[in-house]
Amino acid sequence: MAFLHASVFLCSFFTYVATARGSLSIWRISVPPHVVVGGEASLECDWLSEGQQINGPGLYSLKWYHSLHEFYRWTPAKLNPMQVFPIPESVFTVDRHRSSRGRVVVKSVQLGAGEAPLRCEISGEAPYFHTDEQWAKMAVVVVPTSSPTLTGVAPLYSLNSLALLTCAAPPALPKPSLEFHVNNDKVHSSLLQEPIVHHDNRTRLYSVSQTLRLRTSLPIARRGYVLVRCTASVRDLYWKNTEVKLNVDVPEQLRQKPEFHLFGEASEVSSSTWLIFFVTYGVLFSSLN
């Protein structure tokens, strides 16, 4: 019985040693979270060989896949270690001159590149042929070049009238986000209608519009106008805004008077204020002399 236990132990020990000696694993896979359509991206796959050495010996091949389609292979033992394969729909092309080992530079990235995951697969040398793989997803975004539009602006509003302003973001992928500000204050969601989202199946882009229901009340229109700004954004790649001025017919006695700035912009100051200023200045000037 003791001999049996010893045999089992030795068998387990040699199995562990063999596995350890033949072990090969992916240490890191790096794929940009998003890339602009038509742009390029760097895909990186690093492995750990025996002795926890990064990108060390023992690698037979490294392959990159888009979905189930292999598009890149690196076989160090071959005279020409790099092989590149075409991908259906040409969702991107491999830049041979800038690719090597586990790093692949892809360019002319199309929307289809973001519809399937990217996979790195490694295989060890004989006799163990250990394999490992990891997946990553890369989103492809379409960034607009123009600013959002604000429509529905009337030439003049009466006090406490209702203004309906619609902001529309240019088509983009993913769906753009909209945000309204009135006199630099963020608008509460209760003043906004539900956004309207349209998806174009042909271009795969999203268009978004949203309407602001704004009452031209005295607190926000006291200066005789209201500033409305709409901002459209797509992740951290696009951020543009459009601002309009709503002219409001506010009675003169209710308007907010601009502050007096001696060396600033021209302001409406009463004649009595000017008189007090010059009298005070004259008295001070006389006392100094």
Side-chain angles (χ1 to χ4, degrees):
M1 180 63 69
F3 174 77
L4 179 61
H5 283 296
S7 299
V8 172
F9 170 76
L10 288 174
C11 181
S12 301
F13 173 75
F14 284 117
T15 301
Y16 170 77
V17 172
T19 302
R21 290 185 59 190
S23 65
L24 196 71
S25 61
I26 292 179
W27 175 63
R28 180 182 69 99
I29 182 173
S30 176
V31 171
H34 49 249
V35 59
V36 177
V37 66
E40 62 179 40
S42 177
L43 319 176
E44 299 182 11
C45 183
D46 297 310
W47 67 91
L48 283 177
S49 58
E50 184 178 351
Q52 300 297 296
Q53 183 178 351
I54 299 174
N55 296 345
L59 178 74
Y60 173 71
S61 68
L62 183 149
K63 302 175 182 179
W64 274 99
Y65 292 83
H66 178 257
S67 185
L68 301 177
H69 304 288
E70 181 184 0
F71 63 88
Y72 175 88
R73 182 185 302 176
W74 177 267
T75 311
K78 289 190 175 182
L79 183 62
N80 297 312
M82 184 192 303
Q83 290 178 275
V84 174
F85 309 97
I87 305 179
E89 299 182 9
S90 300
V91 294
F92 51 70
T93 57
V94 174
D95 189 333
R96 287 175 170 268
H97 301 291
R98 299 162 63 193
S99 301
S100 178
R101 298 169 68 87
R103 180 177 183 266
V104 185
V105 176
V106 295
K107 56 186 181 180
S108 302
V109 178
Q110 303 303 307
L111 289 177
E115 296 179 352
L118 295 159
R119 174 166 56 98
C120 177
E121 177 188 280
I122 59 173
S123 300
E125 295 175 331
Y128 307 110
F129 299 105
H130 184 82
T131 62
D132 192 17
E133 65 179 20
Q134 283 191 24
W135 300 75
K137 194 76 184 290
M138 177 178 69
V140 180
V141 302
V142 177
V143 178
T145 56
S146 58
S147 301
T149 59
L150 262 173
T151 57
V153 181
L156 183 66
Y157 294 88
S158 59
L159 197 59
N160 292 319
S161 63
L162 182 64
L164 297 176
L165 306 177
T166 300
C167 180
L173 183 72
K175 180 180 68 176
S177 299
L178 295 178
E179 189 174 88
F180 283 87
H181 286 79
V182 171
N183 295 338
N184 291 324
D185 293 325
K186 186 177 179 180
V187 171
H188 192 270
S189 58
S190 61
L191 300 179
L192 300 173
Q193 295 181 354
E194 285 297 315
I196 299 174
V197 181
H198 172 71
H199 181 245
D200 189 319
N201 292 325
R202 183 181 62 84
T203 63
R204 308 178 192 176
L205 304 184
Y206 290 89
S207 299
V208 180
S209 63
Q210 193 170 25
T211 298
L212 167 67
R213 295 174 56 89
L214 182 67
R215 185 72 62 178
T216 58
S217 59
L218 185 60
I220 64 171
R222 189 179 292 276
R223 292 176 294 180
Y225 62 87
V226 180
L227 295 178
V228 178
R229 184 172 70 250
C230 174
T231 302
S233 60
V234 178
R235 298 193 177 179
D236 59 346
L237 301 173
Y238 168 85
W239 188 93
K240 288 190 177 183
N241 62 69
T242 297
E243 188 174 80
V244 295
K245 184 178 181 180
L246 310 184
N247 293 308
V248 183
D249 186 14
V250 179
E252 188 65 29
Q253 64 272 21
L254 296 179
R255 290 198 176 207
Q256 180 183 17
K257 301 297 182 182
E259 295 180 2
F260 170 60
H261 299 281
L262 181 59
F263 300 106
E265 298 177 354
S267 306
E268 294 181 12
V269 183
S270 65
S271 57
S272 59
T273 302
W274 281 112
L275 180 59
I276 294 171
F277 170 75
F278 284 117
V279 168
T280 305
Y281 179 80
V283 171
L284 289 173
F285 183 78
S286 300
S287 63
L288 291 175
N289 294 321

